[in-house]
């Protein structure tokens, strides 16, 4: 029962006990998931809205848990950060995405790029740049084909350090993108000082494109701001043809979403690409 005046009282219900056990189970397995080869990447194409061509793919992490089945990234990535395995997992993601992309380039799927999500803790670790350099070298991938996606909150956690690291990445030739743009709190002045190559309009704005009268204006404003800042603009979460058409009319360059293609495992991706379904 709740103690008077206490503000740290926790109620244990069977439900919570279940949750704690589940967390424990996930945490335990997460430490060995990489060695056991339970992690894999899916790839979701980014298309150029003008030409309809695939210009690259976003790598999205998946975990095939032995008992729980497929665990969503939002369920285990925060935990991986917390227990300190994100550096190792994140390095593996960058490495695998570079190797896969080089392989697809060699197979003639086009001069595809790859976008990789980077978590805050991974971005801040001292060895991060070296991880990127090693991955590119190991895959013999030209740096211009790699884009790293960072959220606004990751960039703003230690803005001076972030800017330095982003500039180092760009010196290597790697591109930097702001993910989930619009959901954070970057002011326009911040944005001007951030060395970025592209921004991704968060899918919440895309889903409000037609339903909310402000939704349209916000997306249009972000696109014209991107143009002003000379950065590429990607719309994520495009689920309908109408959204794709509206975005193209607004001169949004790139789009990604279920309407275009859902994230695919490598083998399915290759099948689609060789049948010409991805371009
Ligand atoms: P995100 O980077 O914003 O990725 C976009 C998410 O939207 C993905 O979810 C994708 O499957 C989903 N999506 C794609 N098209 C559509 C659409 O048309 N409609 C809707 N409603 N959703 C769409 P997913 O794969 O579950 O990933 C969730 C988040 O997990 C990602 O959000 C990213 O923040 C994180 N994540 C995924 N892979 C990695 C990784 O390798 N490293 C790190 N640090 N984070 C990752
Ligand atoms: Ca992303
Ligand atoms: Ca996003
Ligand atoms: Ca997101």
């Amino acid at each position: 029962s709740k103690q008077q005046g206490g503000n740290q009282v926790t109620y244990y219900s069977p439900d919570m006990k279940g949750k704690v056990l589940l967390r424990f189970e996930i945490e335990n397995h997460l430490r060995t998931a990489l060695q056991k080869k339970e992690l894999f990447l899916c790839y979701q194409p980014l298309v150029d809205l003008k030409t309809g061509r695939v210009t690259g793919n976003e790598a999205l992490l998946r975990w095939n848990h032995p008992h729980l089945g497929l665990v969503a990234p939002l369920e285990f990535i925060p935990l991986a950060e917390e227990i300190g395995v994100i550096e190792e997992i994140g390095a593996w993601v960058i490495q695998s995405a570079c190797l896969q992309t080089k392989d697809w380039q060699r197979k003639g799927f086009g001069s595809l790029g790859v976008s990789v999500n980077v978590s805050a803790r991974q971005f801040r670790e001292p060895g991060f740049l070296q991880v990127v350099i090693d991955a590119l070298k190991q895959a013999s991938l030209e740096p211009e084909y790699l884009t790293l996606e960072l959220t606004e909150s990751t960039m703003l956690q230690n803005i001076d350090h972030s800017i330095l690291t982003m500039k180092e990445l760009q010196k290597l030739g790697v591109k930097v993108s702001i993910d989930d743009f619009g959901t954070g709190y970057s002011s326009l002045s911040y944005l001007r000082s951030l060395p970025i190559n592209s921004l991704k309009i968060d899918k919440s704005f895309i889903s409000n494109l037609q339903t909310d009268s402000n939704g349209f204006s916000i997306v249009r404003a972000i696109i014209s701001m991107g143009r002003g800042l000379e950065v590429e603009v990607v719309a994520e979460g495009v689920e309908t043809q109408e959204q794709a058409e509206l975005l193209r009319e607004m001169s949004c360059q790139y789009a990604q979403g279920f309407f275009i293609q859902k994230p695919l495992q490598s083998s399915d991706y290759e099948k689609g690409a060789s049948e010409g379904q991805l371009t």
Side-chain angles (χ1 to χ4, degrees):
S1 69
K2 192 179 166 87
Q3 287 168 275
Q4 279 298 94
N7 55 6
Q8 291 282 316
V9 180
T10 315
Y11 291 90
Y12 285 97
S13 63
D15 184 32
M16 275 192 70
K17 196 173 162 200
K19 273 189 187 156
V20 170
L21 284 175
L22 182 65
R23 193 200 131 111
F24 187 70
E25 158 94 351
I26 290 183
E27 186 179 313
N28 252 337
H29 278 90
L30 196 51
R31 295 183 194 277
T32 55
L34 199 54
Q35 288 123 268
K36 291 185 177 157
K37 301 197 188 322
E38 292 163 4
L39 300 179
F40 64 98
L41 296 176
C42 281
Y43 292 87
Q44 187 181 37
L46 276 86
V47 300
D48 182 324
L49 279 171
K50 254 194 256 158
T51 63
R53 294 195 67 87
V54 176
T55 62
N57 298 289
E58 178 174 7
L60 294 161
L61 186 57
R62 299 287 179 265
W63 181 18
N64 199 0
H65 186 285
H67 315 135
L68 301 169
L70 217 54
V71 186
L74 291 177
E75 308 241 2
F76 71 89
I77 289 168
L79 194 59
E81 283 222 329
E82 223 177 283
I83 66 174
V85 294
I86 195 66
E87 287 89 342
E88 203 190 339
I89 291 176
W92 175 84
V93 171
I94 296 177
Q95 201 179 53
S96 308
C98 288
L99 284 167
Q100 181 65 88
T101 298
K102 186 66 187 188
D103 180 47
W104 284 340
Q105 289 184 356
R106 286 191 174 127
K107 285 178 172 154
F109 294 173
S111 52
L112 295 173
V114 70
S115 301
V116 176
N117 295 287
V118 176
S119 83
R121 180 161 168 174
Q122 183 190 2
F123 181 63
R124 282 197 313 265
E125 70 151 337
F128 179 66
L129 278 172
Q130 197 57 47
V131 165
V132 175
I133 292 168
D134 292 347
L136 290 167
K137 196 171 162 204
Q138 196 200 348
S140 309
L141 185 72
E142 303 289 332
E144 76 215 55
Y145 292 115
L146 177 63
T147 298
L148 297 177
E149 297 191 359
L150 306 163
T151 62
E152 291 166 66
S153 71
T154 296
M155 291 180 185
L156 300 186
Q157 267 176 31
N158 181 341
I159 185 140
D160 295 331
H161 178 259
S162 296
I163 289 175
L164 276 177
T165 309
M166 289 155 79
K167 283 188 174 154
E168 287 298 322
L169 287 166
Q170 290 179 332
K171 261 194 240 160
L172 293 174
V174 171
K175 292 176 177 155
V176 180
S177 181
I178 303 190
D179 204 355
D180 302 345
F181 184 78
T183 60
Y185 29 46
S186 48
S187 67
L188 294 180
S189 56
Y190 263 134
L191 201 58
R192 230 186 30 199
S193 65
L194 291 171
I196 53 160
N197 303 89
S198 59
L199 60 85
K200 285 182 103 164
I201 309 173
D202 188 68
K203 52 181 176 290
S204 59
F205 296 107
I206 306 306
S207 65
N208 286 334
L209 204 51
Q210 291 141 295
T211 52
D212 176 345
S213 62
N214 287 330
F216 184 85
S217 315
I218 290 171
V219 170
R220 196 174 46 189
I222 296 175
I223 293 167
S224 79
M225 192 188 64
R227 199 178 303 127
L229 293 168
E230 295 179 318
V231 301
E232 293 179 339
V233 177
V234 184
E236 68 171 19
V238 177
E239 292 181 349
T240 67
Q241 176 153 16
E242 296 78 62
Q243 289 168 350
E245 272 163 17
L246 273 174
L247 288 161
R248 192 160 42 96
E249 282 163 21
M250 290 189 229
S251 300
C252 179
Q253 257 168 313
Y254 302 103
Q256 195 182 3
F258 296 159
F259 170 67
I260 297 151
Q261 185 63 260
K262 62 180 199 298
L264 295 172
Q265 293 196 38
S266 295
S267 52
D268 293 331
Y269 185 94
E270 294 195 3
K271 247 176 82 198
S274 59
E275 285 163 10
Q277 282 165 7
L278 299 173
T279 57

